Amino acid sequence: MNIPQEIQFILSEIQKSGFEAYVVGGSVRDFLLEKKPKDWDITTNAKPEEIQKIFPKSFYNNTFGTVTVVNKNTEDESLKNIEITTYRIDEGYSDRRHPDKVKFTPNLSEDLARRDFTINAMALKIKGNDFEIVDLFNGKDDLEKKIIRAVGDADKRFSEDALRMLRAVRFSSQLGFEIDKNTFEAMQKNSGLLKFVSQERIRDEFEKIILSDKAYEGVELLRTSGLLTYIVPELEKGIGVDQNKHHTYTIYEHCALSLKHCPSKKLEVRLASLFHDIAKPQTKAGTGPDSTFYNHDFVGAKFARKILTRLKFSNKIIDKATLLVKNHMFYYNVDEVSEAGVRRLIKRTGKENLKDLMDLRIADRLGSGVPKAKPYKLRHLEYLIEKVSKDPISAKMLKINGQDIMKILNVKPGPKIGAILKVLLSEIIENPENNTKEYLEKRIKELYKLSSEEIKNSEKIIEEKKEEEDLEDKKKFWVK
Ligand code: ATP
Ligand code: MG
């Protein structure tokens, strides 16, 4: 029996005091699937104060009616905090979010009946050296058949708490299970109720879907159930919208398939794969095989930021995913891309994001139905990145710093120093061979003679010229 000692101990201590005690919910499901549960939930007919008497060092959380036993002597995360809850029923969901009242009950059966899916509604009890499963809703059968089925009347259960519909999709994509037909029809009927659910709760489930092995299938289920309308309606704008002669798939299909083929397990890269072409419907010009999508990368970055902010993702995830969407159109044809172009790419995206940008490109290509991700091209770019990575790309890599400039000019700190550094960096990115003390000293003296305004302008001129060059590169690519 693979129930951890810590759990067996808690169950037997509660039983010794004359109460019932079971492992319950997701942990029983995972145990039967021979997966390691994220956490072990224990349920009992003992009331919180009675549980606390058995475990004097435990903590009682009044809001959730949960007693937590803390295990200091374990490295195993799933065993550090073990939650014990008293059998309960949820009474009424008038705000469609939270049960109005949580009421304790002496019956395990009532506690199991309030749970969302049959596979999540089993309890496990230790019996001597063995265990016994309480399975009132045929959860074991559904687990074997790989089916997600609501406990009781699906329609009623989803109208009580609409998040359950999203959880159905989440468990389906995490476990690779099918959603039962009747349960799925109830989702289609009730999908509109998701608008009553908080963005945070939606985000948590959406994130799990995106990170799961069957993320593509999950997004498809969101679409076919109608839930997608209440999560990312922007994606639906691309449904049935053809692209052009370079693409076999519609915009929506391509977005979903890019997620499917995303080689990265990182949330921000997966989100960027799904959203990279999100603004194509709005930027489409012309019809038929010659349609174009100018600027869809920039507009898409704005959309991605808006969507992820609305879903309350962390700033780190929002910034990274947005940066990737914004820069996904980088051009990298062998022989055509200059080393300075690669340096600018690195400056724009940051060295630490290049691997993610490559992964996004692989997702994009595979999601277009291109049989291979043209590895030789990517390898060539990787070679160039490696080659130029010793070149100055941030001011830190210049052979001269702000202190040196002040010394050379014999002046105090001021905005002019920073402006000069910026000009030097822009110049050296184009011609790294000039990154020598002698050359930089000469340029510093020349630049210092200019007014602050003129110095700023000279950087702007270089940057604008380069932006134009990059834009020309991109135009060849934007049509796609
Ligand atoms: P995970 O492995 O992701 O933790 P889980 O099944 O344990 O999955 P939790 O959110 O931890 O999911 O919830 C624990 C249990 O509580 C579930 O297995 C289910 O029995 C019940 N449950 C959770 N949320 C709901 C809900 N919204 N409606 C009904 N029952 C729920
Ligand atoms: Mg859990």
Side-chain angles (χ1 to χ4, degrees):
M1 185 168 45
N2 285 324
I3 310 273
Q5 287 301 324
E6 290 86 342
I7 301 299
Q8 294 194 39
F9 173 75
I10 293 177
L11 293 175
S12 74
E13 286 299 301
I14 301 175
Q15 282 167 348
K16 267 194 241 158
S17 303
F19 298 103
E20 301 168 7
Y22 294 86
V23 176
V24 72
S27 29
V28 178
R29 176 199 69 220
D30 290 344
F31 174 76
L32 292 175
L33 287 171
E34 294 179 12
K35 283 188 182 177
K36 194 175 165 349
K38 257 198 353 258
D39 34 48
W40 293 84
D41 296 320
I42 291 175
T43 191
T44 173
N45 59 349
K47 296 276 169 55
E49 50 295 355
E50 293 165 331
I51 306 171
Q52 279 202 292
K53 268 190 211 139
I54 305 170
F55 306 103
K57 285 187 185 155
S58 60
F59 297 101
Y60 178 49
N61 179 318
N62 209 349
T63 337
F64 299 109
T66 299
V67 178
T68 304
V69 173
V70 181
N71 259 314
K72 289 211 179 79
N73 306 326
T74 177
E75 289 301 303
D76 188 334
E77 282 300 323
S78 70
L79 296 169
K80 282 196 170 141
N81 295 300
I82 298 162
E83 291 193 345
I84 309 172
T85 41
T86 309
Y87 301 157
R88 62 189 53 197
I89 38 178
D90 305 330
E91 285 205 326
Y93 284 77
S94 48
D95 69 350
R96 297 183 185 282
R97 289 178 194 212
H98 312 285
D100 296 337
K101 218 168 40 187
V102 176
K103 217 175 91 181
F104 295 140
T105 162
N107 305 316
L108 173 66
S109 59
E110 285 185 311
D111 183 280
L112 295 179
R114 75 171 169 95
R115 293 173 183 271
D116 48 8
F117 304 107
T118 59
I119 58 166
N120 288 346
M122 290 180 273
L124 178 154
K125 175 166 107 170
I126 307 276
K127 228 182 161 189
N129 284 327
D130 208 355
F131 62 85
E132 185 184 278
I133 302 283
V134 180
D135 180 14
L136 307 177
F137 307 101
N138 292 324
K140 233 179 145 187
D141 205 31
D142 284 340
L143 210 53
E144 270 154 31
K145 290 193 195 133
K146 299 179 181 263
I147 288 177
I148 312 285
R149 189 195 312 273
V151 171
D153 178 10
D155 193 32
K156 187 164 154 262
R157 301 311 307 283
F158 294 149
S159 52
E160 282 169 4
D161 179 6
L163 186 77
R164 288 172 186 153
M165 297 185 277
L166 201 47
R167 286 173 60 88
V169 176
R170 189 257 281 195
F171 289 119
S172 168
S173 47
Q174 280 182 332
L175 300 169
F177 283 22
E178 299 253 329
I179 300 176
D180 157 69
K181 185 166 171 282
N182 182 47
T183 299
F184 192 71
E185 282 169 6
M187 287 163 63
Q188 291 177 312
K189 186 177 158 204
N190 290 289
S191 58
L193 297 178
L194 198 65
K195 64 169 169 282
F196 297 111
V197 177
S198 75
Q199 295 289 331
E200 288 86 347
R201 289 179 88 204
I202 291 179
R203 180 215 43 225
D204 286 347
E205 298 298 327
F206 182 63
E207 176 173 329
K208 286 177 183 165
I209 294 168
I210 297 298
L211 287 174
S212 71
D213 287 346
K214 304 264 179 199
Y216 166 78
E217 289 79 357
V219 171
E220 275 292 278
L221 281 174
L222 293 179
R223 178 178 69 83
T224 52
S225 62
L227 292 167
L228 192 59
T229 313
Y230 306 93
I231 309 171
V232 192
E234 292 86 347
L235 268 177
E236 294 186 305
K237 288 263 184 324
I239 294 175
V241 182
D242 283 325
Q243 301 196 57
N244 58 27
K245 59 184 171 227
H246 301 287
H247 294 269
T248 32
Y249 297 118
T250 63
I251 297 173
Y252 167 79
E253 286 166 341
H254 170 60
C255 289
L257 286 168
S258 300
L259 171 64
K260 181 186 176 91
H261 293 291
C262 177
S264 173
K265 295 213 182 298
K266 287 186 184 175
L267 179 63
E268 60 268 34
V269 187
R270 287 184 167 221
L271 288 168
S273 300
L274 182 62
F275 294 154
H276 74 283
D277 278 351
I278 193 119
K280 272 194 166 178
Q282 290 81 354
T283 52
K284 185 172 179 178
T287 49
D290 292 316
S291 310
T292 58
F293 305 96
Y294 285 109
N295 264 329
H296 78 269
D297 39 357
F298 296 133
V299 184
K302 288 200 177 124
F303 283 17
R305 180 170 290 282
K306 202 171 136 217
I307 295 164
L308 297 172
T309 306
R310 183 176 72 218
L311 284 165
K312 305 238 183 329
F313 277 96
S314 70
N315 286 336
K316 182 184 155 251
I317 294 293
I318 296 173
D319 289 346
K320 288 227 162 183
T322 305
L323 177 114
L324 294 173
V325 172
K326 187 173 171 185
N327 289 292
H328 83 269
M329 295 296 289
F330 67 93
Y331 189 75
Y332 68 107
N333 239 354
V334 184
D335 298 335
E336 277 186 80
V337 170
S338 64
E339 290 185 16
V342 175
R343 279 189 289 271
R344 290 197 297 274
L345 172 68
I346 300 175
K347 190 181 172 211
R348 264 201 311 274
T349 43
K351 201 165 186 247
E352 67 284 8
N353 297 313
L354 285 171
K355 166 82 172 66
D356 294 341
L357 198 63
M358 301 298 155
D359 282 348
L360 174 56
R361 174 57 56 88
I362 291 169
D364 189 0
R365 289 191 66 86
L366 292 175
S368 304
V370 181
K372 262 204 217 155
K374 293 221 176 166
Y376 75 91
K377 275 185 162 190
L378 275 183
R379 239 183 287 130
H380 182 80
L381 180 61
E382 270 158 12
Y383 156 77
L384 277 184
I385 288 170
E386 187 55 38
K387 186 162 176 228
V388 306
S389 67
K390 283 171 201 79
D391 296 342
I393 289 157
S394 79
K396 277 200 302 269
M397 294 159 103
L398 289 176
K399 282 275 151 56
I400 260 172
N401 63 26
Q403 293 290 336
D404 301 328
I405 299 182
M406 290 186 282
K407 231 186 254 162
I408 292 163
L409 299 170
N410 195 20
V411 293
K412 295 215 159 62
K416 244 182 168 177
I417 310 293
I420 290 176
L421 268 175
K422 277 192 175 161
V423 179
L424 294 181
L425 180 63
S426 297
E427 289 185 358
I428 299 302
I429 281 181
E430 298 313 312
N431 298 303
E433 66 278 7
N434 286 339
N435 189 20
T436 62
K437 279 211 158 104
E438 299 72 40
Y439 177 86
L440 293 172
E441 225 179 290
K442 191 179 110 231
R443 276 302 283 151
I444 286 164
K445 285 176 185 158
E446 284 168 12
L447 286 166
Y448 191 68
K449 290 187 193 125
L450 305 176
S451 70
S452 289
E453 204 53 31
E454 286 168 323
I455 300 174
K456 272 193 199 130
N457 270 339
S458 41
E459 192 220 351
K460 230 165 98 192
I461 290 164
I462 301 170
E463 290 294 311
E464 273 168 12
K465 195 172 133 246
K466 291 306 143 193
E467 254 169 47
E468 254 167 54
E469 276 180 40
D470 286 341
L471 208 62
E472 282 310 306
D473 270 350
K474 266 213 306 203
K475 274 187 187 160
K476 299 178 210 160
F477 199 48
W478 249 338
V479 288
K480 301 187 183 176

